[in-house]
Amino acid sequence: MKWPVLAAGLVATAAALWHLLPDRTPTAADPDTLALGRQVYANECAACHGANLEGQPDWRERLPNGRLPAPPHDASGHTWHHPDEQLLAIIREGTAAMVGNGYESDMPGFGDSLTEVEIRAVLDYIKSTWPQREADYQRQISGS
């Protein structure tokens, strides 16, 4: 008689804990957010990172001034290797501010020229272009 009660309790506990686990199902931003992000990207990011998120040529090799070209934001780059909070901070503050120690970068911070909604929308837009594997990995390291 104790086993059915114990089993029922374990099932109920497992079901309750299941809802506490992070959702690993792909989620997409709403269409309005993606449209805003696409527009912000076109206006503020595409000149350096490419209209198709392809980055600048030879983005892994330093330029004569010692700085790195703008990397791609598509799956061929490394953007998806970083959690949301780090990416949002880079957009807000710029790469040099995030790296510190005198690091120089052409990536400015947009915290004074874009709203928080625009900053998050552009990241949502970029993320919406990634293949499933990269999107899943990035969601996992972001804790979402």
Side-chain angles (χ1 to χ4, degrees), residues 58-133:
D58 302 320
W59 61 275
R60 292 182 178 146
E61 296 178 27
R62 293 201 180 273
L63 299 168
N65 67 5
R67 297 178 182 187
L68 289 167
H73 288 313
D74 62 15
S76 71
H78 58 80
T79 306
W80 59 272
H81 295 191
H82 302 288
D84 284 352
E85 289 309 312
Q86 185 178 28
L87 296 172
L88 291 166
I90 290 170
I91 296 168
R92 278 187 213 104
E93 301 170 32
T95 304
M98 291 304 302
V99 174
N101 296 324
Y103 183 83
E104 293 185 11
S105 171
D106 290 331
M107 171 68 185
F110 290 91
D112 292 336
S113 60
L114 296 177
T115 67
E116 188 63 22
V117 169
E118 291 170 323
I119 290 170
R120 289 182 178 274
V122 78
L123 181 57
D124 285 344
Y125 165 66
I126 291 168
K127 290 167 41 172
S128 77
T129 69
W130 295 335
Q132 190 70 44
R133 182 180 71 94

